[in-house]
Amino acid sequence: MIGSFTTAHAENLLVTVQKVEYSSYAAPLELAGDIHARLNVDLSFRVSGQIVERIADVGAHVQPGDILARLDDAEQQTNLRAAQASRDAAQAMLVEAEAAYQRQRQLLDQGFTTRSRFDQAEQQWLTATNTRTSADSALENARDELSYTELRAPSAGIVTSRDIEVGQVVQAAQPVFTLAEDGGRDVVLDVQETLVNHGPPGTSVTLTLLSDPSIRARGRVREVSPVVDARTGTVRVKVEIVDPPPQMTLGTVVTAAVHLPQAQAVALPWSALTSDAGNPAVWSIAPETGVVSRVPVEVLAYERERLILRSGLEEGMTVVVKGGQMLHQGQVVEILDSDAEQEGQ
């Protein structure tokens, strides 16, 4: 809050002074960013092959289980048929071995066979059982391999990138689509490192659509990157959008007004600032003697045509706001009341 101004005169010097008044201050901080999905998933096939069909494209909204693309499945179909045949053969061998085992068991109970023949039949039955189990696993794996030739959406969302075309050969685990999952939306901001401390996680933010300022939403700082971009000197900050309106879609640009905690501060014109051994200071005037002295101050923020001081001054002090360039430590100035000056004119 800027207090009342007083004009002070020395014989050849004219300065303007201001009384120090502390008031509540919250630094304005507005930044621009675009909207991203909270979760972005890179999708890829689990087997290698040639693309024979691409169904989804960038911008498509998909549901869980929707097919995005298909691979040529001739090899997987062949492997499935071979696995099915092996399983059928193993099942037939098991049925035969189990029948022989049961027959030898009955004969052994009746004393019409030897123990060695019974043990041999039992061993063949156990071997056939294990062979059938192995064939079941191979058949299940072949079915899975066939299912992997279809790339399905794991969740609802919007396709934001596509890196394949029909006829292209892709490798297993090679990213082919990026899916922005439905749900949470974030505004991504690149903030100067010096401003990061003003917006810690949990700080309230007001978001405004750049193309339509009437569209607003609440937000809060969700994540502050611990790494500074070496090229730009900025830190990435993610702001969670609380109940985003339909107009705030992926990729749209918004402005973020950060609501910073209020602090007691003094507002002075830029012209009040001087230097004390390279540090910010202002000139203070002793009312009784008119002697000026430098007072070191801590600057909270620099704004257009004014600066905000956090500390260094006491309430009611008189400081020079114009003409300080002509002063030196211990100089005596005469202070005249502005009201008296006006009456004498």
Side-chain angles (χ1 to χ4, degrees), residues 45-50 71-72 75-76 145 148-149 169-173:
F45 287 99
R46 299 176 66 174
V47 294
S48 302
Q50 185 179 39
L71 296 176
D72 182 2
E75 180 181 353
Q76 286 75 19
E145 291 285 326
Y148 296 156
T149 61
V169 176
V170 297
Q171 302 299 317

Side-chain angles (χ1 to χ4, degrees), residues 61-121:
H61 189 273
V62 297
Q63 297 297 328
D66 285 355
I67 298 177
L68 308 180
R70 287 190 177 93
L71 296 176
D72 182 2
D73 63 358
E75 180 181 353
Q76 286 75 19
Q77 291 282 7
T78 299
N79 292 340
L80 178 60
R81 288 193 293 269
Q84 183 66 58
S86 297
R87 196 269 181 192
D88 292 343
Q91 177 64 25
M93 291 177 59
L94 176 61
V95 171
E96 181 179 352
E98 186 174 9
Y101 167 70
Q102 294 296 341
R103 183 166 59 253
Q104 287 296 321
R105 185 176 182 179
Q106 292 177 359
L107 292 176
L108 182 64
D109 291 341
Q110 297 172 2
F112 295 128
T113 188
T114 63
R115 183 72 187 186
S116 62
R117 287 185 176 180
F118 170 78
D119 291 342
Q120 183 180 6

